[in-house]
Amino acid sequence: MGISGIYIYGIINSDKEIIFPDCKVMSGEDVYTITYEDISAVVSDSEIVDYNSLIKEKVAEYLLRHQLVIENVMNIGNIGEESNIIPMQLGTYAMDEDEVRSILAKGYRMIKQIIGKTYGKTEIDVVASWANIGTVLKEAANEKEIRVFKEELLNKEGGVSVEDQIRTGVLIRKYLDKRRELCASKIAPSLVRVSKDYRIHELMDDNMILNIAFLIEKSRLNDFWERVEGLDNEFSGKINFRCVGPLPPYSFNTLVTKRIRYADIASAKEKLNLSDIVTKEDIKKAYRRKAFLNHPDKKMEIQDTHIQFNDVVSAYKTLAECCNDDSSFKIDSFKDAIIIKEKNHYAAGR
């Protein structure tokens, strides 16, 4: 038997204690809320699982459970028609209800800002793919540059070399990339014009033309679907459009937590010569002072100065994460610190 904890699916804008009867997880536990002021975490009691140690199939099973709960909560209506559930990253646990409330308290300001930004909006994921990649490859073979090169190979003495095969592949890849970019340049701007934001996701195979998540005002969903239909007609069946949604803002505002050991906090405090109670500004001042004194450019003659400087930088980052607002931060000798922040979404749109 593992360690029992609380699994956090997401956060909603509600001060009500709710049980979601239609969202029971696979093992039968209730999904319910833990409140802090006017926001709540959507949770279930669960054994704490290390997702890094699981095989892919098991992770996929947990991911499906995670997403089903989030999307069911979004669709049930208890949270208000225009509100969203702000998703937590897969595998987010707290030890108990007090720790859940601590997470909500630490991230309160940021969470309220995200709730405001996503209010009345929803995510739609759009994947455009070639309906028949074979047809596209045949068209590539008829391109002048590729056709001429293949004709040269037919008359080449000694047959076709490995280098010739590689060059043929490069020319075909170049053509496919050009066709893909041309089609994507027609599709994406049309849909972006009726969205508030977008995120470009990685293409999973050569068949994909684009893979984009759009954040759309719910009042403009009909406009969005009309544009998708118009694009489908424009490409006359040569491109397949797969749309998934409405969804919570997975691609825009997923939240993550991070646990910082007390030993690391105490060590960082010592390195910056700080007292037990500090503010964000105290940490910044101490860092600047220590960084100035230990900068490698000032002490070039002293061995390992760069190591000391990096220790100072690391100490600052540790304490800055713990003290993520303007209030004072008390170093508690009995608990680790747990913080909450937005996940980085690198391929940003607007």
Side-chain angles (χ1 to χ4, degrees):
M1 187 72 178
I3 300 172
S4 296
I6 295 176
Y7 187 90
I8 310 176
Y9 299 93
I11 297 171
I12 60 176
N13 193 44
S14 173
D15 60 357
K16 297 182 178 66
E17 294 183 357
I18 305 170
I19 296 177
F20 300 95
D22 297 327
C23 293
K24 284 184 183 290
V25 297
M26 294 174 188
S27 49
E29 289 85 4
D30 282 328
V31 175
Y32 61 97
T33 59
I34 296 174
T35 63
Y36 171 79
E37 295 194 3
D38 57 348
I39 60 175
S40 298
V42 177
V43 306
S44 65
D45 299 331
S46 174
E47 180 182 331
I48 295 177
V49 176
D50 178 10
Y51 283 59
N52 294 320
S53 65
L54 299 178
I55 59 174
K56 287 184 179 180
E57 290 77 10
K58 197 65 180 175
V59 173
E61 182 183 320
Y62 280 114
L63 176 60
L64 177 62
R65 181 185 75 175
H66 179 84
Q67 292 179 333
L68 282 175
V69 169
I70 288 173
E71 288 159 33
N72 283 338
V73 168
M74 185 184 82
N75 294 326
I76 282 171
N78 300 55
I79 62 175
E81 189 176 334
E82 296 299 313
S83 293
N84 269 308
I85 175 170
I86 310 304
M88 295 296 296
Q89 182 171 257
L90 176 69
T92 301
Y93 291 92
M95 298 304 297
D96 51 36
E97 288 196 13
D98 286 344
E99 190 165 89
V100 174
R101 290 193 175 90
S102 175
I103 292 169
L104 294 175
K106 288 177 185 294
Y108 181 81
R109 183 184 302 178
M110 174 191 65
I111 292 165
K112 291 296 287 186
Q113 287 174 346
I114 293 171
I115 288 170
K117 285 191 298 183
T118 60
Y119 184 80
K121 302 178 184 70
T122 190
E123 177 176 331
I124 304 288
D125 293 350
V126 177
V127 174
S129 305
W130 300 117
N132 190 330
I133 190 67
T135 301
V136 181
L137 290 172
K138 285 179 182 178
E139 292 173 358
N142 290 322
E143 278 290 292
K144 183 178 179 180
E145 185 179 5
I146 298 173
R147 189 178 69 251
V148 169
F149 181 64
K150 284 188 172 182
E151 287 172 356
E152 290 175 0
L153 293 181
L154 290 174
N155 301 317
K156 182 180 177 182
E157 293 183 8
V160 178
S161 67
V162 173
E163 289 77 10
D164 293 331
Q165 292 174 351
I166 292 172
R167 186 182 171 194
T168 303
V170 169
L171 289 173
I172 292 173
R173 166 65 65 183
K174 182 180 175 183
Y175 172 80
L176 286 175
D177 288 344
K178 187 176 179 180
R179 279 289 305 276
R180 181 183 293 113
E181 289 169 9
L182 179 63
C183 293
S185 70
K186 292 181 180 179
I187 298 168
S190 176
L191 299 179
V192 164
R193 278 193 284 272
V194 290
S195 66
K196 296 299 291 183
D197 202 354
Y198 63 95
R199 293 289 184 273
I200 300 171
H201 293 317
E202 182 182 355
L203 300 180
M204 305 308 293
D205 54 50
D206 289 340
N207 210 40
M208 274 193 187
I209 297 166
L210 57 76
N211 182 10
I212 306 181
F214 295 93
L215 188 67
I216 304 157
E217 290 181 345
K218 293 178 181 179
S219 60
R220 300 209 68 183
L221 276 174
N222 286 338
D223 295 339
F224 185 83
W225 295 127
E226 285 175 7
R227 286 191 179 245
V228 173
E229 186 177 353
L231 289 165
D232 190 34
N233 292 333
E234 181 181 343
F235 287 100
S236 306
K238 292 182 179 179
I239 293 175
N240 290 333
F241 291 90
R242 182 171 64 87
C243 303
V244 181
L247 296 169
Y250 290 121
S251 301
F252 301 89
N253 299 110
T254 300
L255 299 172
V256 298
T257 59
K258 179 180 178 182
R259 191 177 297 277
I260 304 175
R261 296 184 309 131
Y262 171 72
D264 295 331
I265 298 170
S267 174
K269 183 197 79 167
E270 279 188 31
K271 285 172 183 172
L272 296 184
N273 292 334
L274 287 165
S275 60
D276 286 336
I277 301 177
V278 293
T279 64
K280 182 181 283 189
E281 191 58 34
D282 293 334
I283 296 168
K284 283 182 181 178
K285 287 179 180 178
Y287 164 67
R288 289 174 185 147
R289 183 169 58 251
K290 278 283 188 176
F292 177 76
L293 293 174
N294 291 280
H295 200 283
D297 291 348
K298 290 182 64 67
K299 297 184 175 182
M300 295 177 64
E301 72 286 355
I302 300 178
Q303 192 176 9
D304 296 334
T305 302
H306 66 285
I307 296 176
Q308 296 173 23
F309 180 76
N310 288 341
D311 285 346
V312 170
V313 173
S314 177
Y316 168 70
K317 288 180 178 178
T318 296
L319 293 177
E321 281 191 309
C322 294
C323 190
N324 58 1
D325 55 30
D326 295 329
S327 61
S328 61
F329 165 59
K330 183 177 181 181
I331 296 177
D332 186 338
S333 59
F334 299 102
K335 288 186 178 180
D336 298 345
I338 187 163
I339 60 169
I340 183 169
K341 57 185 179 180
E342 277 196 87
K343 181 180 179 181
N344 289 323
H345 295 282
Y346 297 108
R350 286 197 261 271

